[in-house]
Amino acid sequence: MTRNGILTILAVAVLGGCEREMRPPEVLPSSAARPRPIVRQTTLQPGRPLAQAEGRGPYDENAYSISQGQRLFSQYNCVGCHAHGGGGMGPALIDDTWIYGSEPQNIYATILEGRPNGMPSFGGHIPEQQAWQIVAYVRAMGRLVPKAAAPGRNDHLYSGESPQASGPGEELRQPAEHPR
Amino acid sequence: MSPKSVVIQAEPETPEADLLDEVHHRLEGAWRPEKGFIGWLSEVRHTAIAKRFIVTAFIFFALGGIEALLMRIQLSRPENGLLSPDLYNQLFTMHGTTMMFLFAVPIMEAVGLYLVPLMIGTRELAFPRLINYSYWIYLIGGLLLYSGFFLSMAPDAGWFSYVPLSGPEYSPGKRVDVWAQMITFTEVSGLATSVTLIVTIFKQRAPGMSLNRMPLFVWTQLITSLMVVFAMPAVMVSSSLLAMDRLIDTHFFNPGEGGDAILWQHLFWFFGHPEVYIIFLPATGFVSAIIVPFTRRPIFGYNAIVLSLVATSFIGFGLWVHHMFATGLPQLGQSFFTAASIMIAIPSGVQIFCWIATLWGGRIRFRTPMLFVLGFIAIFVAGGLTGVMLAAVPLDLQVHDTFFVVAHFHYVLIGGAVFPLIGAVYFWFPKMTGRMMSERAGKWSFWLLFAGFNLTFFPMYQLGLQGMPRRVYTYLGESGWTDLNRLATLGGLVLTAGVVVFILNALWSLRHGAIAGDNPWDADTLEWETSSPPPSYGFLYLPTVHGRHPLWMPRENQPVVVGLQDNRREVLVTHTLDAEPDHRDIVAGPSIWPFVLALVTGFTFITVIFTPWALPWGIVLAIIPLVCWFWPRSDMGRVILKEKA
Amino acid sequence: MNALAFLAGSGFAGRQSALNPAGPQAGRIEDLWWLMFWVCTAVFVLVMLFFIAGMVRGRRARKERGVEAPMSVEPGVERRMMRTIVAAVAATVITLFGLLVASVATGRSISPLRVPEDALTVKVIGHQWWWDFEYQHPEPYRIIRSPNELHIPVGQPVRILTTSADVIHSFWVPNLHGKLDLIPGRTADTWIQADRPGVYRGQCAEFCGHQHAHMGFLVIAEPPERFAAWWERQRQPAPEPATPLQQRGRQVFLSQACPLCHTIQGTDAGSRVGPDLTHLASRRTLAAGTLPNTRGHLGGWIADPQSTKPGNLMPPNPMKSEDLQALLAYLESLR
């Protein structure tokens, strides 16, 4: 990491502190006031390409929202198919391959609409704000959010079971007996 | 330095004015304050640095007080919508962190930095440039925390920052990292100051000031500094482990991977409990120093008090688990800590009894500094007794983490440390500035503070017993806690008024206070021998002492120290136990490198919040100012006057 | 004690107060409290008497002898003071030792080691910001979960096992016992017992995040027969909706976001992220002791939980008002 790199990170991270640290973040305006952007799954367009929709998710830089996305990713059982990003039945999310696009609105559309071959459609079942938080977390897994906002490690055990499988509060493993 | 080059001789009966003038002129030259902006940054004299510390610490005190006032207003009504839960959490975290790390410990050390050299009869501390560094690193740490506040990055997990709440999963973002790094700043600053004070007190006392003739104030500074050296590393370790968990995904505190959430509590409280004695013991030093001139007699039971101080400091390291009684640790272990926590009341009690005996046998002048000492005794005894209650595990299990504990520690911290501190300000303000503070405003400030304090915190005992937990941003109306909360908020306003009167008094007196002489209180210790304010070099000739109360028992032909060079910064180094002169030594003069090093290390610590690469790069960068700082020079103190032919 | 009766009570009208014990542990702790209170008050008064007497004496001495000539002490007075202080220190040591003995004795009398092995056991799992009480039973089909409301039989000891699903919380019912922290990765245990029937309020007592202030719960002590009946009812799945409105309500429930976090046994909703709603209408409070369980509060809570408990993990659920009414009708049927 060059000194310039450090300085840049410092400047961006510090000055961006306001948005990164807000919690809970601003509630999104209702969908009536916020029309969904057109999601294109190919770059091919007739004639001149129209201007790309905004490339930033509303919560991309908010650390609290990304952390909530991490929680929801487990609680809504995304880990059932995607594991913790490594994939399984579903594709991996920590690599650079995005079947349906990596822009926030693309991931949002994927979550809400569902996709062929097994991705459920969560539209109407989860609130939009939570969907955007999951979008932010998925992009964090793909290293597409600022490093300072990205979540740290979980406080749970990863190998084998997910927290969902064993229910909240049950010890996943007792590494050492804690005597009373 | 040749050990025999110092001569102790009697001061001439009628010193020639010219001779004294010449000595004064040369000393002034060697010890003069620096000019210009770079000079201001390079300043190393202990009086200048101590004044900076004191002013900065009081600014943090005011900020912490504003945070407390906001919290009290929020809690004056049930379901009050004034502050959001997030803001309230930040406020109580900032209040605790500011008061404990940025105000209480630095101010106690700062008063020591100013007074210890004067009280022990030397010209400067042992490591002046280290003190300079200590101030800058403290300031940068405080600025880090408060700029975080304005960027919505203030820590919000409590001043004690328990994991897993403060861990990477439940405290996203950089808030807790700011806290963890601020700890590093303040602890480095504290360690630097403590090391300096220990060495100065051990090695630079005036000839004849054996350990049993040392003022009790100096004893407390010595013992406190030793406690700092043993306690601060624990919190530095724990905050570093937390920073590592958050930044580079270690698992020290992650129970899911073999870590332990309780480890944090042990490490933190191993520091946290001695911390409160680090704050309290210097205040007992203030009390012992103030009570003597205002009762016109030596303190009763000097040896008992010294032994109590030492006992307190030792036992204080064996109490920490009483903060963890509710965590389900084994009963036998808990009983051990109950016994230790109860036992520490004994040395504290001995001190109280000795002070009361001093009053009993003295002739008391009820001036403002004395009022604060008397207020301290009343409040601290009450607070200490509730501490004995908290030491009992079953009772602690009911009142732990309730407002009962809040009341207890404010009684012992405000009553036990802030009251003596304010008394100390009234007492030593004339020495530091040359002007007296207004006595009338002083009495007003005392009564407002005393009444306001009790009105604020006494109801909280009852609130805790009635079930009100701590760190709640609001409470339900049907709880029945409204009336007592309202009373506490009212008391908070009175308390604030007292603080405001005190601060205004100090600011006004800087310009308009009555001129103070050398010794306006007719006190007994060496610092009152210098002018008010003292010259930059402290003493014209370093004194010697033959008893505990040098100014009250002056001897004919009391020797002074001659033979120190007066065209550069020299001090006399004496033996540790009995202060026999040993050799002369040069103390460092002004230097810009501590400031540069503070900038580099500060930058490193701050950038580590965002990337671990800052650490290796920062260490490499820090080599430059370190090399420049320690580059050997034969004339560390500047030589400014050539010897006349 | 009667003169100080005003100290008891308050705190939710005495239902969340350490000075209003309803069980043996809280009772013994309260005894210890009064012992320490009176002893410490006596010590304080005694010390203050000497203190004030010292001030008076010192003031008089200054008036009589002035402030000149410091350092003068009267050896006789000094010797007497020394003896007094030695006596005071001895008295202090004895008193403190007595308090230590009292403390240890009380601790032993309330120790969890005294609970019979086969006592009713409830596992307390702390969440941000609600409580999950899981009643243990050797036969797994009898295990029930009761969020935010802990029913116990009067007069019988109940073992409490504590753990946490996220951060450190603290289980505290002042009327019954002192607190015990819920620490993730560790299980600790304590026991409570209510000696008279009643409703007692508890509250989380370890800072756990945004809504620590609104993390309360109720402990309902009832006669053993009523307790057993309650347990049986809690074992049952949710009743089938009786009216068309309730049927529509169930439909609304299952099609909204609700099943992603909540369980209603007897339906497809089986998520364990949030509290179990199977017997929602049998509970007295909502949102972990924050709101009374009435139709109006429930409607407001569902529509926007963030206005009551900002920052808590339940999102707003805007829906058409007919849907909300149907949903409320259904939820009110879940006794």
Side-chain angles (χ1 to χ4, degrees):
Chain A
M1 293 284 274
T2 65
R3 182 116 184 267
N4 282 339
I6 295 178
L7 275 171
T8 317
I9 286 181
L10 181 63
V12 165
V14 168
L15 293 171
C18 281
E19 199 191 325
R20 182 184 68 238
E21 300 291 344
M22 255 187 7
R23 79 184 71 166
E26 307 268 320
V27 180
L28 292 175
S30 69
S31 48
R34 194 190 155 85
R36 280 198 26 209
I38 295 181
V39 173
R40 300 180 195 277
Q41 295 192 3
T42 170
T43 50
L44 224 45
Q45 296 184 35
R48 243 171 233 295
L50 296 172
Q52 181 72 301
E54 58 185 44
R56 254 189 58 200
Y59 292 142
D60 258 15
E61 291 183 12
N62 183 262
Y64 174 78
S65 299
I66 299 179
S67 168
Q68 292 299 304
Q70 185 180 40
R71 170 182 69 87
L72 294 168
F73 193 82
S74 281
Q75 287 181 343
Y76 290 163
N77 202 25
C78 314
V79 296
C81 292
H82 293 286
H84 288 279
M89 287 202 298
L93 299 175
I94 54 178
D95 58 8
D96 292 324
T97 310
W98 299 85
I99 305 175
Y100 300 105
S102 69
E103 292 301 311
Q105 63 271 23
N106 288 52
I107 302 176
Y108 182 73
T110 300
I111 294 175
L112 253 56
E113 295 166 5
R115 292 290 179 242
N117 294 328
M119 173 68 190
S121 165
F122 287 88
H125 290 286
I126 64 176
E128 285 185 14
Q129 182 176 15
Q130 291 190 337
W132 282 112
Q133 288 174 341
I134 299 175
V135 165
Y137 177 62
V138 168
R139 280 173 59 81
M141 278 198 281
R143 288 157 285 119
L144 297 168
V145 300
K147 191 158 177 287
R153 60 153 176 80
N154 234 337
D155 270 299
H156 298 289
L157 187 57
Y158 277 132
S159 63
E161 316 150 345
S162 79
Q164 189 68 359
S166 47
E170 297 180 25
E171 290 92 55
L172 303 176
R173 180 182 77 177
Q174 290 283 52
E177 211 45 42
H178 292 286
R180 211 168 13 85
Chain B
M1 305 297 127
S2 157
K4 295 291 178 247
S5 65
V6 166
V7 173
I8 310 247
Q9 72 181 40
E11 201 170 338
E13 288 255 352
T14 46
E16 296 174 13
D18 288 347
L19 173 65
L20 292 182
D21 249 354
E22 171 78 11
V23 173
H24 163 83
H25 176 63
R26 288 156 71 88
L27 282 171
E28 274 267 279
W31 292 88
R32 66 164 182 256
E34 297 307 297
K35 293 205 177 24
F37 182 60
I38 300 289
W40 185 77
L41 295 174
S42 320
E43 183 63 72
V44 294
R45 288 173 311 124
H46 71 101
T47 44
I49 304 277
K51 282 197 281 205
R52 286 180 204 177
F53 258 111
I54 292 174
V55 168
T56 312
F58 268 111
I59 293 176
F60 283 125
F61 177 65
L63 290 171
I66 293 171
E67 287 147 13
L69 200 57
L70 287 172
M71 288 195 285
R72 274 281 21 120
I73 297 174
Q74 162 73 7
L75 288 179
S76 59
R77 277 194 307 127
E79 299 291 1
N80 199 349
L82 179 69
L83 302 175
S84 70
D86 186 42
L87 185 55
Y88 189 88
N89 295 344
Q90 290 183 55
L91 280 177
F92 75 69
T93 306
M94 292 291 288
H95 171 74
T97 306
T98 303
M99 289 303 196
M100 295 298 277
F101 292 112
L102 296 177
F103 164 67
V105 174
I107 192 91
M108 298 302 179
E109 291 188 325
V111 178
L113 289 179
Y114 192 98
L115 288 172
V116 163
L118 294 172
M119 270 195 190
I120 63 177
T122 187
R123 290 214 170 103
E124 181 56 276
L125 294 163
F127 308 127
R129 290 176 297 185
L130 191 60
I131 296 299
N132 182 336
Y133 174 75
S134 164
Y135 175 73
W136 293 118
I137 209 79
Y138 158 67
L139 181 66
I140 296 176
L143 288 175
L144 166 70
L145 187 69
Y146 272 88
S147 48
F149 202 13
F150 293 113
L151 292 172
S152 185
M153 239 160 85
D156 61 347
W159 84 280
F160 52 98
S161 209
Y162 274 3
V163 295
L165 180 65
S166 62
E169 185 177 351
Y170 298 104
S171 270
K174 296 300 176 188
R175 291 175 166 186
V176 173
D177 301 273
V178 166
W179 180 87
Q181 289 308 113
M182 187 270 330
I183 298 278
T184 310
F185 281 101
T186 51
E187 304 319 320
V188 169
S189 168
L191 279 172
T193 312
S194 300
V195 163
T196 308
L197 281 172
I198 294 171
V199 173
T200 310
I201 294 172
F202 272 148
K203 298 302 291 181
Q204 283 180 228
R205 297 194 309 280
M209 188 184 280
S210 51
L211 280 179
N212 67 336
R213 288 183 189 157
M214 213 162 67
L216 285 170
F217 177 93
V218 182
W219 268 110
T220 60
Q221 291 288 329
L222 173 66
I223 291 170
T224 304
S225 300
L226 284 165
M227 287 183 80
V228 167
V229 167
F230 284 100
M232 295 289 186
V235 74
M236 286 181 74
V237 164
S238 60
S239 66
S240 305
L241 295 184
L242 179 64
M244 280 198 273
D245 265 22
R246 293 175 59 86
L247 189 64
I248 56 176
D249 293 350
T250 52
H251 294 279
F252 291 108
F253 305 118
N254 179 7
E257 288 274 10
D260 196 342
I262 293 279
L263 174 65
W264 167 268
Q265 296 190 28
H266 278 294
L267 282 173
F268 184 82
W269 289 118
F270 184 80
F271 149 80
H273 194 80
E275 154 93 340
V276 308
Y277 289 104
I278 289 168
I279 297 171
F280 170 61
L281 288 187
T284 65
F286 301 161
V287 170
S288 297
I290 295 173
I291 208 171
V292 166
F294 288 96
T295 53
R296 318 302 294 150
R297 55 153 293 156
I299 196 136
F300 184 92
Y302 176 97
N303 291 332
I305 294 184
V306 171
L307 289 173
S308 300
L309 292 169
V310 173
T312 304
S313 71
F314 272 98
I315 303 177
F317 275 93
L319 300 189
W320 81 91
V321 174
H322 72 217
H323 300 269
M324 298 161 60
F325 278 155
T327 55
L329 296 172
Q331 255 197 335
L332 182 60
Q334 288 184 345
S335 300
F336 172 80
F337 286 94
T338 298
S341 307
I342 287 185
M343 198 162 76
I344 204 166
I346 301 171
S348 300
V350 166
Q351 288 197 64
I352 298 274
F353 299 151
C354 288
W355 287 320
I356 294 180
T358 310
L359 294 175
W360 188 284
R363 295 166 274 151
I364 306 178
R365 287 184 297 167
F366 289 89
R367 305 288 293 276
T368 303
M370 189 59 170
L371 288 181
F372 279 97
V373 163
L374 298 173
F376 149 80
I377 291 181
I379 298 176
F380 178 73
V381 171
L385 288 169
T386 56
V388 171
M389 292 178 185
L390 286 167
V393 174
L395 191 51
D396 184 73
L397 290 182
Q398 280 282 30
V399 295
H400 166 67
D401 246 322
T402 66
F403 268 82
F404 189 97
V405 178
V406 175
H408 158 72
F409 67 70
H410 281 97
Y411 264 74
V412 290
L413 281 176
I414 297 188
V418 174
F419 267 61
L421 173 69
I422 299 183
V425 171
Y426 278 100
F427 186 60
W428 276 296
F429 188 92
K431 175 54 58 183
M432 289 173 63
T433 64
R435 290 183 182 269
M436 307 289 290
M437 288 178 76
S438 155
E439 185 64 24
R440 205 164 129 210
K443 292 202 156 84
W444 266 99
S445 68
F446 169 73
W447 287 110
L448 281 171
L449 284 168
F450 189 80
F453 167 78
N454 282 295
L455 205 59
T456 310
F457 291 103
F458 197 79
M460 292 187 185
Y461 287 122
Q462 179 65 7
L463 277 173
L465 289 165
Q466 284 182 9
M468 183 170 180
R470 285 172 78 171
R471 303 171 184 138
V472 291
Y473 77 99
T474 188
Y475 50 95
L476 299 177
E478 55 264 31
S479 64
W481 300 326
T482 312
D483 291 334
L484 288 175
N485 269 297
R486 205 166 271 160
L487 191 61
T489 303
L490 186 64
L493 294 171
V494 178
L495 186 61
T496 308
V499 173
V500 167
V501 169
F502 163 66
I503 292 183
L504 288 180
N505 187 358
L507 292 173
W508 179 87
S509 305
L510 275 176
R511 292 292 176 88
H512 307 288
I515 302 283
D518 289 358
N519 194 354
W521 310 113
D522 193 20
D524 61 314
T525 39
L526 280 177
E527 79 271 22
W528 299 102
E529 195 180 73
T530 66
S531 62
S532 299
S536 54
Y537 50 83
F539 300 91
L540 198 63
Y541 292 103
L542 292 188
T544 65
V545 301
H546 69 282
R548 282 182 195 152
H549 307 273
L551 265 60
W552 277 0
M553 292 172 40
R555 228 170 43 186
E556 293 262 331
N557 301 327
Q558 179 72 22
V560 295
V561 176
V562 301
L564 292 182
Q565 281 197 262
D566 48 22
N567 61 351
R568 62 185 185 182
R569 300 190 179 195
E570 277 197 359
V571 295
L572 178 66
V573 180
T574 57
H575 286 137
T576 308
L577 286 181
D578 53 9
E580 284 288 313
D582 190 56
H583 62 275
R584 296 177 295 158
D585 203 359
I586 304 178
V587 290
S591 165
I592 191 66
W593 296 112
F595 175 71
V596 175
L597 181 66
L599 283 182
V600 171
T601 50
F603 181 78
T604 306
F605 293 151
I606 295 177
T607 319
V608 156
I609 293 175
F610 299 101
T611 167
W613 281 105
L615 202 55
W617 277 107
I619 290 175
V620 165
L621 271 176
I623 292 178
I624 303 169
L626 277 172
V627 165
C628 297
W629 177 340
F630 289 108
W631 196 265
R633 286 161 48 196
S634 59
D635 60 338
M636 270 201 305
R638 280 168 310 125
V639 179
I640 41 86
L641 291 177
K642 298 279 184 256
E643 298 296 328
K644 290 202 182 108
Chain C
M1 292 314 139
N2 285 335
L4 292 153
F6 76 91
L7 283 177
S10 301
F12 290 93
R15 293 182 306 131
Q16 187 175 327
S17 172
L19 297 173
N20 189 12
Q25 296 105 324
R28 294 203 187 99
I29 296 176
E30 202 217 10
D31 291 340
L32 180 66
W33 154 251
W34 286 120
L35 170 70
M36 297 193 89
F37 174 77
W38 286 117
V39 169
C40 291
T41 304
V43 169
F44 182 72
V45 166
L46 204 59
V47 173
M48 286 299 111
L49 282 176
F50 275 99
F51 174 50
I52 295 172
M55 279 196 285
V56 165
R57 200 171 182 279
R59 186 162 172 267
R60 201 174 52 218
R62 175 184 48 88
K63 284 195 187 300
E64 284 169 9
R65 298 188 344 241
V67 295
E68 299 313 317
M71 293 292 292
S72 58
V73 294
E74 307 157 61
V77 176
E78 300 290 289
R79 269 199 303 276
R80 272 204 303 279
M81 290 203 289
M82 171 67 73
R83 285 199 285 268
T84 313
I85 289 186
V86 169
V89 173
T92 305
V93 171
I94 294 171
T95 310
L96 290 178
F97 188 75
L99 292 177
L100 175 65
V101 168
S103 162
V104 173
T106 310
R108 291 186 62 157
S109 73
I110 63 177
S111 153
L113 298 168
R114 298 175 151 255
V115 187
E117 273 301 314
D118 59 350
L120 169 67
T121 302
V122 180
K123 192 158 138 193
V124 178
I125 303 150
H127 297 258
Q128 281 179 322
W129 289 277
W130 59 282
W131 305 86
D132 205 3
F133 299 114
E134 190 183 275
Y135 286 72
Q136 308 297 296
H137 199 280
E139 288 155 18
Y141 60 89
R142 289 199 181 275
I143 294 179
I144 56 167
R145 300 178 101 102
S146 171
N148 297 324
E149 209 169 86
L150 182 65
H151 288 242
I152 58 175
V154 170
Q156 293 176 18
V158 176
R159 175 181 281 116
I160 303 283
L161 297 174
T162 60
T163 187
S164 168
D166 37 45
V167 299
I168 300 183
H169 302 274
S170 195
F171 175 84
W172 184 40
V173 188
N175 292 87
L176 296 182
H177 195 9
K179 55 186 62 76
L180 183 62
D181 284 356
L182 316 180
I183 302 173
R186 297 171 83 93
T187 314
D189 69 325
T190 181
W191 67 291
I192 58 174
Q193 178 175 326
D195 282 340
R196 52 171 205 265
V199 177
Y200 309 107
R201 193 172 186 277
Q203 193 163 346
C204 176
E206 182 60 61
F207 179 61
C208 50
H210 276 126
Q211 285 300 327
H212 166 64
H214 285 138
M215 189 172 159
F217 61 99
L218 292 183
V219 176
I220 298 172
E222 41 195 12
E225 319 77 51
R226 283 185 57 182
F227 171 73
W230 171 85
W231 190 321
E232 263 313 299
R233 274 199 311 276
Q234 294 288 314
R235 275 190 58 225
Q236 306 310 315
E240 282 293 308
T243 70
L245 189 64
Q246 288 174 1
Q247 273 169 8
R248 179 155 168 227
R250 182 169 74 172
Q251 192 52 32
V252 168
F253 180 87
L254 292 174
S255 60
Q256 290 269 325
C258 319
L260 285 166
C261 293
H262 291 289
T263 295
I264 295 185
Q265 292 170 25
T267 69
D268 285 338
S271 171
R272 302 224 252 162
V273 171
D276 186 325
L277 299 180
T278 313
H279 299 280
L280 175 63
S282 74
R283 296 200 277 272
R284 302 173 194 222
T285 60
L286 300 171
T290 309
L291 299 167
N293 189 356
T294 66
R295 191 189 180 94
H297 281 118
L298 183 57
W301 171 253
I302 292 173
D304 188 10
Q306 296 295 318
S307 64
T308 315
K309 268 173 97 160
N312 96 88
L313 301 179
M314 178 162 160
N317 296 289
M319 63 181 88
K320 294 203 284 283
S321 111
E322 312 88 71
D323 284 343
L324 183 59
Q325 295 307 314
L327 178 61
L328 289 175
Y330 174 60
L331 292 174
E332 282 179 337
S333 76
L334 299 176
R335 298 215 162 272

